[in-house]
Amino acid sequence: MSAIVVGYVDKPEGRAALRRAATEAKLRQARLVVVNAQAAGSQGGPEADEAVAGVRAELDAHGLGYEYRELGQGAEPADDLIAVADEVSADFIVIGLRRRSPVGKLILGSNAQRILLDASCPVLAVKADPDV
């Protein structure tokens, strides 16, 4: 069975990536691997637990087969996503991008850039919905 890896953070760009990855997984009848790509040292707590519960509820509602992984124990999110994609032989990785200032557009986010350049599979970059 094919697999799609999605980098998730509880922000608009992470939610946009998750929605698109779920759509692609359903269309392709692929297994979805959700990687919670919080940066190392990020705080958990009740808000994080609610976000995870929301992710699981959304994916369950789609009727998708998925795996949810909590990573970020010292590694960079880009390293986590690439390693998981290699491990599961992913068809592609889905990442979310946030809006940047004109100067910020010259330099893509460091994690997004590393994933785009270093992943051994295609990468689908999704813009966050400004209304969400």
Side-chain angles (χ1 to χ4, degrees):
M1 176 182 252
S2 59
I4 296 170
V5 172
V6 58
Y8 176 78
V9 291
D10 189 29
K11 296 180 180 178
E13 60 269 21
R15 292 185 287 274
L18 183 66
R19 282 191 303 275
R20 181 58 184 265
T23 299
E24 292 293 332
K26 196 167 193 173
L27 286 171
R28 300 166 190 267
Q29 298 178 345
R31 178 173 60 107
L32 188 60
V33 180
V34 180
V35 178
N36 187 333
Q38 298 289 63
S42 294
Q43 297 295 323
E47 296 85 14
D49 293 341
E50 284 181 33
V52 171
V55 167
R56 291 183 183 278
E58 182 175 340
L59 295 176
D60 288 340
H62 282 286
L64 293 171
Y66 68 91
E67 178 182 345
Y68 185 91
R69 296 188 186 193
E70 291 275 345
L71 299 175
Q73 312 302 326
E76 290 294 319
D79 295 333
D80 288 342
L81 280 172
I82 292 168
V84 171
D86 289 343
E87 176 191 329
V88 301
S89 301
D91 293 341
F92 59 95
I93 299 170
V94 181
I95 59 172
L97 300 177
R98 67 178 181 261
R99 192 164 209 22
R100 296 208 171 260
S101 68
V103 172
K105 289 178 184 177
L106 293 174
I107 304 171
L108 191 60
S110 61
N111 282 311
Q113 185 175 23
R114 287 198 45 232
I115 294 164
L116 287 165
L117 295 174
D118 295 344
S120 59
C121 61
V123 178
L124 174 60
V126 180
K127 290 193 310 186
D129 184 351
D131 298 331
V132 177

